[in-house]
Amino acid sequence: MSESNKTVLITLGRLPKCLDIARSFHKLGWRVIVVEPFAWHLTRMSHVVAKTFQLTAPNTNREKYLSELTDIIQREKVRLVVPVSEEILHVSFLRDRLPDSVTLYAMPSALLLRLHNKRTFIDVCREIDVSAPETARLDEEGASAIAAEGDFITKPIFSCSGRGVTFHQRGDTLPTADPAAPVIVQRWVKGNVLSTFSIARSGDVLTTVVYRGAVMSGSVSVAFERVAETQACNIAIRQWVDQFVKALNFTGFISFDFVEDTAGHVHAIECNPRATSGAHFVHVDDLARAVVYPTMSPCDVHFRDETLLQQFYPCLTEVQKAMFTSSFFPLLNRFIQAKDVTWSWRDPLPFWTMTFTASQIIWLSIKHKATFGEVATLDVGWYKDTLTHPPHQNQSPHI
């Protein structure tokens, strides 16, 4: 079957990284369809998308969400399902519902949930023997020891975009444990915060982007800068990621947050078993190829020429907010230098209509008094341990 006769379903459309992936598959010759709980979203306005479907948000009714997804996959003769962001934790439960002719580009749910859980992720790091800070659940005996030994951080076990993270000094009183909202206590590693995005196949890393936030909206970067591959922190982080991916025989998108301490050692503090903004640094021609071509090697996946990228409208908002502060001119300089991740002369509508298509995110931001990044995935993220023992799944995806 030729590439032009194949249909890929992308399971979210509201974020710029979703648009990059859609454009990449379209350029490769695939028919692209997008499903979204939002009626209007960024990717809907792109000419590379053949169809979009609105469906129930998984945090409203997960079973209905999966049923609707299955119906669309069958009706549209989908060959490949590509989750992009937080929704992957829900989409991964499609595996047992799909025929052999459909590939789900996601690892089994049990593993994804273990990596998404900020406590069990540390257990995985210990098993693999890679560096991560001392961490314990608030209701575990080790939590008090971490708080007594030095400065520490508390954060929800299930969260993203920095929601619920608090910083504490050594000896501060620990909050009261709430079984309904489990929290971890983690040693506060101080230093440079760095993030990664990787594409892996059967335990081999095809590419790893190491980047840092250049303009922040709360704890979420809206402009980001790629770290040169020759820098010591980049080399150490890529070695860490290679070891982690190989040990898990991982296939798919996977991302991490690291801290480089004052001694130059790197510590992984969180895993995002999905795509992040680092995907924008991968050349759009190579994103889809890395997913579908089994012969792709690391030398076949290239970075964009630009090392400083931005999400234009959120970045503009942060620059405007800083207008009468000392940070205004440094932020303005980055804003001027950075290239927008959405703009394309061949596909201009997503950029020009973004204020309209992001209206639901804007409304949620106002309603919750939070940043765009904090509310953008409220309806699709996995925030509660609603499936303590997910179904056993040992299949790996094959493209």
Side-chain angles (χ1 to χ4, degrees), residues 11-15 17-18 35-38 55-62 65-66 69 83-93 113 116 158-161 163 274 361 364 373-384 386:
T11 59
L12 204 69
R14 68 188 67 171
L15 304 173
K17 59 192 173 186
C18 307
V35 294
E36 246 286 356
F38 288 173
L55 73 177
T56 303
N59 283 341
T60 299
N61 186 327
R62 182 183 298 117
Y65 171 78
L66 293 174
L69 264 178
V84 179
S85 190
E86 298 287 330
E87 84 285 355
I88 191 172
L89 281 308
H90 304 281
V91 177
S92 61
F93 284 95
L113 288 169
H116 177 62
F158 299 108
S159 68
C160 67
S161 304
R163 282 193 293 267
R274 55 179 176 81
I361 298 175
L364 287 171
E374 291 174 331
V375 300
T377 56
L378 283 178
D379 59 333
V380 298
W382 188 288
Y383 302 114
K384 292 183 180 180
T386 53

Side-chain angles (χ1 to χ4, degrees), residues 8-12 15-25 28 80-89 91-92 95 103-108 111-113 115-116 196-209 211 241 244-245 248-256 270-293 296 301 397 399:
V8 59
L9 183 149
I10 299 172
T11 59
L12 204 69
L15 304 173
K17 59 192 173 186
C18 307
L19 181 60
D20 268 11
I21 293 169
R23 285 170 171 169
S24 187
F25 271 98
L28 195 60
L80 173 64
V81 179
V82 179
V84 179
S85 190
E86 298 287 330
E87 84 285 355
I88 191 172
L89 281 308
V91 177
S92 61
R95 183 176 300 278
T103 297
L104 174 62
Y105 190 65
M107 294 295 283
L111 176 60
L112 294 179
L113 288 169
L115 298 181
H116 177 62
T196 68
F197 165 74
S198 300
I199 307 174
R201 177 180 288 277
S202 301
D204 293 325
V205 175
L206 295 177
T207 190
T208 292
V209 180
Y211 64 103
V241 173
F244 191 96
V245 166
L248 296 183
N249 195 33
F250 198 93
T251 293
F253 302 136
I254 187 166
S255 309
F256 300 92
E270 292 184 13
C271 175
N272 299 301
R274 55 179 176 81
T276 58
S277 297
H280 295 303
F281 289 106
V282 179
H283 199 286
V284 71
D285 288 357
D286 296 334
L287 275 170
R289 290 173 181 168
V291 171
V292 301
Y293 287 169
M296 288 285 282
V301 184
I399 306 297

